Amino acid sequence: MNTGFVFLQKYLMTPMAKISQFKIVRAVMAAGMASVPFSIVGSMFLVFNTLPMTFTGLEGFFENTFFRVSDLYMIANTATIGILALYFNFVVGYELTKIEAEETGLKVNALNGAMLSAFAFFMTLPELVMQNGVITLLSDQSNLVFNGLRLTPFVFRLGTSGIFIAIVMAIVATHLYFLCVRRNWVVKMPETVPLGVSRSFTALIPTFVIAFCIIILNGFLVFMGTDIFDIVSIPFTFVTNLTKSWLGIMVILFLIHALWVVGIHGASIIGAFITPIMLANMTENTAGAHIPFAGEFNNSLVILGGSGSTLLMTFFIAFFAKSSQLKILGRASAVPAIFNINEPIIFGMPIVYNPYLALPFFLAPMACGTLGYFAISSGIMNPIIALVPWPSPMGLGAFIGTGGDYKAAIVAILSAMLALFIYLPFVKLYDNKLFKEEQGKPVDDVQKVGEAH
């Protein structure tokens, strides 16, 4: 087990720790967190609108009441999930510029960085085609494309399908902005000019630079018969397809918990990469797809009680542990565990660097993920169509996230029971060790315990 910890620390923890400090990764993480309230609010209106599909007895009532004004309140969904790429773009641009200013001392303004990012992103939205040597905006009324903008269901590229290009354009725009400032390609105003006016003129030349670069890029790609969305979608589509497979989900869950075992918040780091994908998958589900790994799949069906699926294990040690250490810890951690908060367990039990508990910490969420994956892919339960707050208690998050499917709540409860079954032999072994230590009795060597496993 010690060899395993050394291996994880050398080949996983160290590289991931470095990756987590990259400016781009930190900015994307910030964008993911900033988008959460918008995603949740938009999702709640969608769940409300889909209730009659689950509870068919409500159809007549909804038709005569709420559905009469559904176009009114569903604007909230359009203004959140429908333009989620814009939120990502703006926050990534803001955070990247803020980080650059704080860590390098470069005199750039975070708001300028955000606006330049949005500017670059908007320049990529219209679809262009070349006809008879002339570049024109695509128009296709049969597919609701007007002036280059695909309007299904809203401006298509502003939705979750545009998140990746939104991030890319924020990175491109901010780095061109940084380049201009470093090269002193800015309009300098006298010190007597108000700061707000001075900042706006500082962004003048970078705006021209960004505009020309995007125009040249768009023109070249149109000449080649494609555009930047199609180019960027190639690598990201490959990664997205991996998340739609059981093996891909297992790899993600393994990485999250491998990082936790060596003391790094795996959910935050891996979340920076998979959040855009899970949001895009969730949007596909609302359109009729059946993708398991979407929305809050992990918090609703896998990591019940927190990373490692420790919910029922926490209650077990609270009431049945022999050692006073585990009993006290379990009782103190029980209420937070209900809301998927288990840092007290991870660092207090501890699970980090603990050869007794590392294996079930890997196995339990992977087993729960397998159950959730096949429950959705086989049609036993509905896919996740709405984002719910991650602290939602066991069963409730799955029920709401699937639009009111009671079978999802049952699967969540079965997942928690499966995780407890996996933990039990390891926890009992660890509990006996601690109890003997408290009683002053000799304890078997950890290596013998590892061999017994």
Side-chain angles (χ1 to χ4, degrees):
M1 291 298 291
N2 288 336
T3 303
F5 285 127
V6 171
F7 178 86
L8 288 175
Q9 185 167 16
K10 182 178 180 181
Y11 294 104
L12 186 64
M13 175 184 172
T14 301
M16 281 296 182
K18 292 179 179 179
I19 291 173
S20 68
Q21 294 306 307
F22 288 173
K23 297 173 185 177
I24 293 173
V25 174
R26 288 152 59 193
V28 174
M29 288 173 63
M33 290 185 286
S35 69
V36 166
F38 301 99
S39 302
I40 291 175
V41 169
S43 295
M44 291 304 100
F45 282 97
L46 178 63
V47 169
F48 181 74
N49 224 35
T50 58
L51 280 178
M53 297 172 61
T54 303
F55 302 101
T56 54
L58 297 175
E59 288 180 354
F61 173 72
F62 268 66
E63 286 288 348
N64 294 317
T65 54
F66 297 110
F67 284 170
R68 291 178 178 270
V69 292
S70 64
D71 285 349
L72 175 64
Y73 62 74
M74 282 300 288
I75 291 175
N77 179 269
T78 303
T80 51
I81 303 296
I83 60 170
L84 203 56
L86 181 58
Y87 294 118
F88 266 81
N89 171 265
F90 198 85
V91 177
V92 170
Y94 183 91
E95 289 292 330
L96 274 176
T97 310
K98 181 182 176 182
I99 292 169
E100 190 72 21
E102 291 175 349
E103 298 185 1
T104 68
L106 190 67
K107 292 183 178 180
V108 288
N109 179 261
L111 186 57
N112 281 347
M115 294 179 68
L116 290 170
S117 298
F119 169 63
F121 178 47
F122 278 124
M123 288 191 67
T124 66
L125 294 181
E127 296 183 47
L128 297 159
V129 292
M130 178 169 284
Q131 297 177 341
N132 301 320
V134 178
I135 295 178
T136 60
L137 291 168
L138 178 64
S139 288
D140 184 355
Q141 294 187 13
S142 61
N143 289 311
L144 295 179
V145 183
F146 299 93
N147 293 326
L149 297 178
R150 194 172 296 273
L151 307 178
T152 50
F154 187 54
V155 179
F156 179 72
R157 291 184 168 185
L158 283 177
T160 53
S161 63
I163 289 178
F164 292 122
I165 190 63
I167 293 171
V168 170
M169 296 318 298
I171 295 169
V172 170
T174 52
H175 280 77
L176 287 173
Y177 178 32
F178 303 157
L179 174 66
C180 291
V181 174
R182 287 195 185 96
R183 297 291 181 89
N184 208 25
W185 299 344
V186 294
V187 176
K188 292 186 177 180
M189 303 296 289
E191 294 182 1
T192 55
V193 175
L195 184 60
V197 177
S198 178
R199 285 175 177 172
S200 64
F201 275 91
T202 300
L204 181 61
I205 294 177
T207 304
F208 271 113
V209 171
I210 291 169
F212 283 124
C213 288
I214 302 300
I215 288 171
I216 293 171
L217 177 62
N218 281 343
F220 173 76
L221 293 176
V222 171
F223 179 77
M224 298 299 294
T226 183
D227 70 3
I228 193 166
F229 268 79
D230 293 334
I231 296 296
V232 171
S233 69
I234 294 173
F236 286 114
T237 298
F238 173 75
V239 176
T240 301
N241 288 337
L242 285 179
T243 67
K244 296 178 181 179
S245 68
W246 171 81
L247 181 59
I249 295 173
M250 292 302 102
V251 171
I252 290 170
L253 292 175
F254 173 80
L255 290 175
I256 290 173
H257 293 86
L259 290 169
W260 266 121
V261 162
V262 289
I264 292 181
H265 199 304
S268 293
I269 294 176
I270 304 301
F273 300 98
I274 65 173
T275 295
I277 296 173
M278 298 187 78
L279 290 173
N281 289 347
M282 184 182 72
T283 303
E284 288 189 42
N285 285 343
T286 63
H290 217 83
I291 304 170
F293 200 61
E296 287 292 349
F297 174 84
N298 284 345
N299 288 314
S300 297
L301 298 172
V302 181
I303 53 175
L304 301 163
S307 293
S309 310
T310 58
L311 178 61
L312 295 187
M313 185 269 284
T314 301
F315 281 90
F316 175 81
I317 63 174
F319 295 102
F320 300 105
K322 295 179 182 179
S323 68
S324 58
Q325 175 183 328
L326 290 188
K327 190 180 292 288
I328 293 171
L329 178 66
R331 291 177 179 178
S333 305
V335 173
I338 294 173
F339 301 98
N340 296 332
I341 300 170
N342 71 339
E343 278 79 0
I345 291 292
I346 290 177
F347 295 105
M349 203 167 180
I351 291 176
V352 173
Y353 285 109
N354 189 334
Y356 290 88
L357 300 175
L359 188 58
F361 190 72
F362 284 116
L363 293 179
M366 294 174 76
C368 293
T370 299
L371 177 61
Y373 174 84
F374 287 107
I376 295 175
S377 62
S378 64
I380 293 175
M381 60 173 277
N382 293 337
I384 294 174
I385 61 169
L387 201 68
V388 296
W390 62 265
S392 299
M394 175 182 62
L396 181 61
F399 178 77
I400 297 174
T402 54
D405 185 0
Y406 72 92
K407 295 188 292 295
I410 295 174
V411 171
I413 294 171
L414 291 176
S415 291
M417 294 172 64
L418 176 61
L420 175 63
F421 178 78
I422 293 172
Y423 270 107
L424 276 180
F426 299 91
V427 170
K428 287 180 178 179
L429 194 63
Y430 185 54
D431 182 36
N432 287 333
K433 168 186 175 295
L434 295 179
F435 181 71
K436 289 181 180 180
E437 288 179 347
E438 292 172 357
Q439 300 297 315
K441 297 178 180 179
V443 183
D444 292 337
D445 186 77
V446 171
Q447 184 177 356
K448 294 180 180 179
V449 175
E451 292 173 356
H453 289 178

